[in-house]
Amino acid sequence: MTTNDTPRAAKPPKVTFIGAGSVVFTQGLLADLFAFPELRDAHIALHDIDPERLSTAEAAARHIADVRGATPRVTAHADRRTALDGADFVINIVQVGMREATRTDFEVPARFGIRQTIGDTLGIGGIFRALRTFPLLRALGEDMAELCPDAWLLNYTNPMAMNVQYLAQATGLRRVVGLCHSVHWTMNGLAELVGVPFEEVTYRAAGVNHQAWVLEFAHGGTNLYPALDALIEKDEQLRRRTRVDMYRRLGYYPTETSEHSSEYVPWYLHHDSEIERLRLPVGAYLNIVDENVAEYESTRDALAAGRPLQVEGTMEYAPQIIHSVVTGTPRTVYGNVPNHGLIDNLPSGGTVEVPCLVDASGIQPTRIGALPPQLAALNRTYLSTVDLTVRAAVEDDPLRVRQAAMTDPATAAALPVDRIWSLCDAMASAHADRLQPSLRERLGA
């Protein structure tokens, strides 16, 4: 991932948004971008296949620029290749299939007795979200190799670990980093919990996306874990959080929410008593999807009526990375990158989440060494499912899809193997032409 390029010429960068119709997220990223004076005249190229959403995204971009006092060049493109031509940075926020596909990811597994809370990272939902996203990623990689080979691809689309590994293995792109805000907001929350200003906390985390671990948590050289332990001991409600339960048993705090964390292990969602004890919201993500659609519609209607929109920054990593590469300003972010000597006891080539230094030379991941063995054990299981899912697409092999589901902890805890295979058949049928042709096959045991 390290590059030796000289700093970019002092010309406005071209930043292309793929899936710009995710308007609310696009708005936050643009607000962050335009907060940097050096980026206020950037070329913002927006692409989406939905004409209404693309038009809304363009209107939102112009409104945000006006509020921020920025003077970007904003262009909107139904054609992806035109949007990519000459790009310096590509931000991928596509969700293939949108709300309809997400409902399939929940409703079909639910008929088999599978419980999910988010369904976008691992498990049967994560596997099939990846499989319907891979064809888009391959086409995107081919277009970038031709039209903007030196651009950085900043991927926000989940499942993060699967998508980044697929991009590395199937497209040949090397300037790829997956971005997620979980580490930042976890540390923000922990700092608030122990009563220390976030700006004064020092921390280090590593692992895999949505299952990384806080390895160091300190203030002024003092370890803050004992303070966290004391709070947990006194507060029964804290002990009713999945991530706190995992922390007490594993010794290191997980960097993702309880809802996410519960899905990547076999201990919680299969048991009614644990769902009640830890207050796990089974299927709640469908409500969030509906809320996102409602928020989009509200934004669309406000723009059409000329009503003002609230413009707020989001502290996302992509604008910070763009600013650092363009200006040479060094900063550290957390990125998802292929494991080439970064974490010793996780598979080589698997996608790991580690601190990354960003400056004019690009994105440079930090070597961590070995994780504590109990953490590496869970991460290796996670990465096994990731690897088999990626292999299914790269090798064009539907058997690998079933093997991926068999290795997934939550799926294996809930179903016997014949039912796992039947579930994969049902999911492949439900997603139909969203998958590459060979992966739509039904397989008998």
Side-chain angles (χ1 to χ4, degrees):
M1 297 292 295
T2 302
T3 69
N4 297 312
D5 295 350
T6 56
R8 294 175 181 272
K11 69 175 181 67
K14 180 176 181 180
V15 183
T16 297
F17 286 72
I18 303 297
S22 302
V23 170
V24 176
F25 196 37
T26 299
Q27 283 180 255
L29 291 170
L30 289 173
D32 288 345
L33 274 171
F34 297 151
F36 293 112
E38 301 91 341
L39 302 178
R40 288 179 181 172
D41 60 350
H43 177 183
I44 304 300
L46 306 171
H47 164 68
D48 202 278
I49 61 173
D50 184 317
E52 180 194 279
R53 282 183 170 266
L54 180 59
S55 176
T56 302
E58 181 182 8
R62 297 187 186 282
H63 173 79
I64 293 165
D66 185 57
V67 170
R68 289 290 199 192
T71 56
R73 178 187 174 198
V74 177
T75 59
H77 309 273
D79 177 62
R80 182 179 63 231
R81 289 174 57 83
T82 306
L84 288 170
D85 192 14
D88 299 295
F89 303 92
V90 178
I91 299 176
N92 180 38
I93 48 178
V94 166
Q95 183 183 349
V96 175
M98 300 289 286
R99 176 164 56 175
E100 177 191 352
T102 300
R103 287 200 173 279
T104 296
D105 287 343
F106 276 83
E107 292 174 355
V108 173
R111 296 202 297 267
F112 284 76
I114 293 288
R115 292 161 166 166
Q116 298 177 99
T117 50
I118 308 294
D120 72 348
T121 299
L122 212 63
I124 201 70
I127 290 168
F128 277 87
R129 180 182 281 235
L131 294 175
R132 68 175 186 264
T133 304
F134 290 164
L136 176 278
L137 295 181
R138 181 183 286 274
L140 176 61
E142 291 172 351
D143 286 348
M144 287 184 64
E146 178 184 349
L147 299 166
C148 52
D150 295 328
W152 281 97
L153 175 56
L154 310 177
N155 178 69
Y156 276 104
T157 296
N158 283 323
M160 184 65 67
M162 295 183 188
N163 287 341
V164 171
Q165 184 171 331
Y166 180 82
L167 282 163
Q169 294 184 5
T171 72
L173 293 179
R174 290 293 173 262
R175 289 185 165 186
V176 177
V177 62
L179 302 176
C180 177
H181 49 227
S182 61
V183 172
H184 172 83
W185 289 114
T186 290
M187 299 315 304
N188 216 294
L190 285 177
E192 182 179 358
L193 198 58
V194 300
V196 175
F198 172 67
E199 296 76 15
E200 298 178 14
V201 169
T202 56
Y203 62 90
R204 188 171 64 121
V208 296
N209 182 239
H210 291 172
Q211 199 187 65
W213 316 94
V214 180
L215 303 176
E216 298 174 7
F217 177 36
H219 178 242
T222 300
N223 182 8
L224 289 174
Y225 264 138
L228 178 62
D229 293 339
L231 289 169
I232 292 170
E233 186 63 31
K234 290 188 298 184
D235 190 339
E236 180 186 0
Q237 296 309 307
L238 279 178
R239 297 195 297 274
R240 294 186 67 193
R241 297 181 185 178
T242 301
R243 67 201 308 198
V244 171
D245 190 77
M246 291 177 67
Y247 162 58
R248 296 177 75 203
R249 299 172 192 277
L250 296 168
Y252 295 86
Y253 201 78
T255 62
E256 191 44 84
T257 63
S258 291
E259 291 81 5
H260 273 288
S261 295
S262 68
E263 290 192 307
Y264 317 138
V265 294
W267 314 316
Y268 300 118
L269 285 171
H270 186 51
H271 306 284
D272 293 342
S273 59
E274 290 297 83
I275 289 173
E276 181 178 359
R277 177 175 76 92
L278 299 171
R279 300 168 295 186
L280 290 170
V282 175
Y285 186 62
L286 291 178
N287 296 329
I288 296 173
V289 170
D290 290 340
E291 290 168 5
N292 289 341
V293 171
E295 192 171 358
Y296 159 73
E297 292 173 347
S298 175
T299 298
R300 176 201 62 198
D301 295 345
L303 288 165
R307 296 194 300 270
L309 290 177
Q310 192 171 11
V311 178
E312 296 182 354
T314 58
M315 297 298 293
E316 287 290 347
Y317 287 139
Q320 297 178 53
I321 288 171
I322 294 169
H323 182 259
S324 286
V325 174
V326 168
T327 67
T329 304
R331 51 170 53 91
T332 298
V333 304
Y334 276 79
N336 292 271
V337 295
N339 184 27
H340 298 311
L342 300 173
I343 299 181
D344 293 339
N345 48 355
L346 293 185
S348 177
T351 303
V352 294
E353 190 166 62
V354 296
C356 298
L357 171 67
V358 191
D359 57 22
S361 64
I363 300 168
Q364 304 156 69
T366 301
R367 173 173 160 75
I368 298 297
L371 291 177
Q374 71 277 23
L375 308 183
L378 288 177
N379 286 169
R380 282 196 298 269
T381 300
Y382 173 118
L383 287 175
S384 294
T385 303
V386 168
D387 184 61
L388 286 166
T389 303
V390 171
R391 285 176 181 272
V394 172
E395 299 172 4
D396 226 23
D397 186 352
L399 177 58
R400 295 293 192 203
V401 179
R402 279 75 182 166
Q403 292 167 342
M406 289 165 61
T407 64
D408 172 65
T411 306
L415 296 179
V417 69
D418 279 348
R419 292 287 285 166
I420 292 173
W421 279 46
S422 296
L423 171 57
C424 290
D425 287 344
M427 289 289 282
S429 176
H431 282 299
D433 57 3
R434 294 190 183 103
L435 309 181
Q436 62 195 66
S438 68
L439 301 187
R440 304 172 198 168
E441 294 181 23
R442 300 175 64 88
L443 294 181

